[in-house]
Amino acid sequence: MSARDTAAIVTQLALAADGAVVGVALAYIAVRSFFKVVATSSALRRISEAPSFNVSDLRSILSDADDGETKLVIVRGTVESKSAVNGSWKSLWPDVLVSRHSGDKAVVIHRSQKCIYNEWRWIFGWYPDLRAVLARAWKEQGSMSMRTVPFVLVEDSHQPQCDYVFVELDGSKHPLPLTTVHQKMQPISASPYTFLQALFGHEYPVGLLEEEKILPLGMDVTAVGICSSRNGIPEIKSCRNLPYFLSEMTKDQMVLELSFRTKVLLWSGIVIGSVSIGILGYAIVRNWTKWKQWREQRRAQQQSHGNDVTGSNTAESEVPVEEDVGDVPDGQLCVICLMRQRRSAFIPCGHLVCCQRCALSIERDLAPKCPVCRQTIWGSVRIYDS
């Protein structure tokens, strides 16, 4: 199956029922957009109302608050290792990580290796594109590792022992503002198995991408999260309902980005919702019209059938049906009553299997069908022997 055949099948499925499937899909996207608008608006409101503090102000603010009270705050500070602010002999040998390639000191190092795949469709590459997309999504893309050490945010990196806030990463799924310090693509040598994969249309690896990202010391970041006091030390952790935790942006930049994202989601939801309403309205009107036409045609068929039955009953009352109950040749008995000879052929199938009386009784049904082929019949005709 080629890509063109796959696209044709997907198009036919999407346009089924006069585009109702497309309308439902667009309506689902519009509803998801409005849910995202609500979530983004809530995050925008909370970040806009959250107070911004310096690192040196957190200790006094938390000491004035009730014991154990937590609050959403925004703190701007510089990344520093926790061991450097302990004020003990550990500060002489701070617990930091060192990049393998650049030699920079960091508190977070993220290394990843993932395979880059290619696909060449030859004469035997009959697999559809949808299968390839799903297989690529299910396939393990590579390996990655992340190392972290406890770190804090300080107001002045030259005097880290003054004031600091501890950053708690446990339980956070927010992206970190990492800096790429190494990126290298290594080609993978082809093998006979790789040739077979390409021959039969399967994906085969062509390269290995190696990356290293770090959160370096001395980087200015903004922390948005829940701040509390643990043993007199300020601690901040992520809030699950907010899109940011650690970011290079300032509070004003976050507010601008969330405001722009809210407007884009809102207008896209309105446009997509309007299009889906139009498509669904068109599909409903078209299907309602088709159903009314089918009902009128069905009613007209029933009326014509009733007129035919009335005429046949009148003819039957005026001209009595012949009763061929005498000696009937083998294979000529009516399949319904098994008493009279076959005299009537059904239209349009042409089967001559019933006597005239049984054929008339079958025609009086609401949905007359031939007793042999079960095809819908319009009537029957009397067959006379020459």
Side-chain angles (χ1 to χ4, degrees):
M1 183 182 296
S2 63
R4 183 177 299 177
D5 296 336
T6 305
I9 294 174
V10 172
T11 303
Q12 291 179 359
L13 291 177
L15 297 179
D18 294 318
V21 177
V22 175
V24 172
L26 292 178
Y28 174 76
I29 296 174
V31 171
R32 289 292 302 272
S33 298
F34 285 121
F35 277 113
K36 290 182 179 179
V37 166
V38 173
T40 308
S41 300
S42 176
L44 174 61
R45 177 181 55 81
R46 296 184 63 185
I47 291 179
S48 300
E49 297 176 355
S52 297
F53 296 110
N54 295 325
V55 176
S56 57
D57 300 332
L58 283 179
R59 193 181 299 270
S60 60
I61 292 173
L62 293 177
S63 61
D64 296 337
D66 296 335
D67 189 17
E69 183 182 355
T70 60
K71 57 188 308 184
L72 179 65
V73 297
I74 299 177
V75 181
R76 183 76 177 179
T78 305
V79 176
E80 187 60 60
S81 64
K82 185 181 178 181
S83 59
V85 299
N86 284 332
S88 62
W89 60 271
K90 293 183 178 180
S91 60
L92 299 177
W93 296 278
D95 186 11
V96 296
L97 302 175
V98 179
S99 172
R100 181 188 305 171
H101 299 89
S102 64
D104 296 332
K105 295 181 179 181
V107 293
V108 177
I109 294 182
H110 179 271
R111 296 189 181 97
S112 64
Q113 288 183 346
K114 59 181 180 180
C115 291
I116 306 300
Y117 291 89
N118 192 11
E119 186 174 8
W120 174 50
R121 297 182 180 277
W122 199 53
I123 186 171
F124 297 110
W126 57 79
Y127 297 103
D129 293 337
L130 182 60
R131 182 207 63 81
V133 172
L134 294 177
R136 188 180 295 110
W138 292 335
K139 187 178 298 181
E140 183 180 358
Q141 296 295 326
S143 61
M144 64 177 182
S145 63
M146 178 178 289
R147 296 179 58 194
T148 62
V149 295
F151 67 96
V152 296
L153 297 182
V154 299
E155 189 169 351
D156 188 1
S157 59
H158 299 288
Q159 296 179 355
Q161 289 81 6
C162 295
D163 293 292
Y164 60 91
V165 55
F166 178 70
V167 179
E168 179 61 59
L169 288 180
D170 293 341
S172 173
K173 296 182 179 180
H174 294 80
L176 298 175
L178 302 179
T179 302
T180 302
V181 295
H182 174 73
Q183 191 176 53
K184 183 179 180 181
M185 173 72 76
Q186 297 179 357
I188 298 179
S189 301
S191 63
Y193 179 69
T194 304
F195 174 74
L196 293 177
Q197 286 178 312
L199 180 65
F200 287 95
H202 289 275
E203 293 180 341
Y204 56 94
V206 295
L208 183 65
L209 180 62
E210 182 179 355
E211 290 182 333
E212 185 180 37
K213 299 179 180 181
I214 64 172
L215 182 60
L217 296 179
M219 183 178 183
D220 294 333
V221 297
T222 301
V224 182
I226 305 298
C227 190
S228 60
S229 178
R230 177 184 296 181
N231 298 326
I233 300 176
E235 180 184 72
I236 189 169
K237 59 183 179 180
S238 63
C239 184
R240 185 172 52 184
N241 298 326
L242 295 180
Y244 304 110
F245 177 38
L246 297 179
S247 175
E248 296 183 82
M249 296 185 296
T250 62
K251 177 182 177 180
D252 295 336
Q253 292 174 341
M254 294 180 186
V255 171
L256 288 176
E257 182 177 352
L258 289 177
S259 178
F260 176 76
R261 189 185 305 176
T262 302
K263 293 179 181 178
V264 171
L265 289 173
L266 178 61
W267 284 107
S268 62
I270 292 175
V271 172
I272 296 175
S274 302
V275 173
S276 65
I277 291 174
I279 294 176
L280 288 176
Y282 172 77
I284 291 173
V285 172
R286 286 278 300 173
N287 286 279
W288 176 257
T289 304
K290 288 182 180 179
W291 182 79
K292 286 185 8 181
Q293 292 177 354
W294 174 84
R295 186 178 63 178
E296 292 176 357
Q297 292 177 358
R298 183 65 180 170
R299 186 177 300 171
Q301 290 178 358
Q302 291 179 353
Q303 289 179 356
S304 62
H305 174 70
N307 294 333
D308 294 341
V309 170
T310 304
S312 62
N313 290 338
T314 304
E316 183 179 359
S317 60
E318 293 177 356
V319 181
V321 179
E322 297 180 2
E323 298 287 344
D324 297 332
V325 190
D327 294 334
V328 180
D330 294 338
Q332 295 296 320
L333 284 176
C334 173
V335 297
I336 302 298
C337 63
L338 299 178
M339 294 176 57
R340 291 176 289 273
Q341 187 176 358
R342 304 177 182 180
R343 292 295 186 185
S344 296
F346 293 113
I347 302 173
C349 63
H351 285 123
L352 179 62
V353 292
C354 294
C355 62
Q356 188 176 3
R357 181 171 297 179
C358 293
L360 293 176
S361 64
I362 290 176
E363 291 179 18
R364 295 190 184 100
D365 295 337
L366 293 178
K369 293 182 179 180
C370 174
V372 176
C373 65
R374 307 305 299 170
Q375 183 180 353
T376 302
I377 61 174
W378 303 339
S380 63
V381 61
R382 175 73 162 80
I383 305 298
Y384 292 93
D385 296 334
S386 58

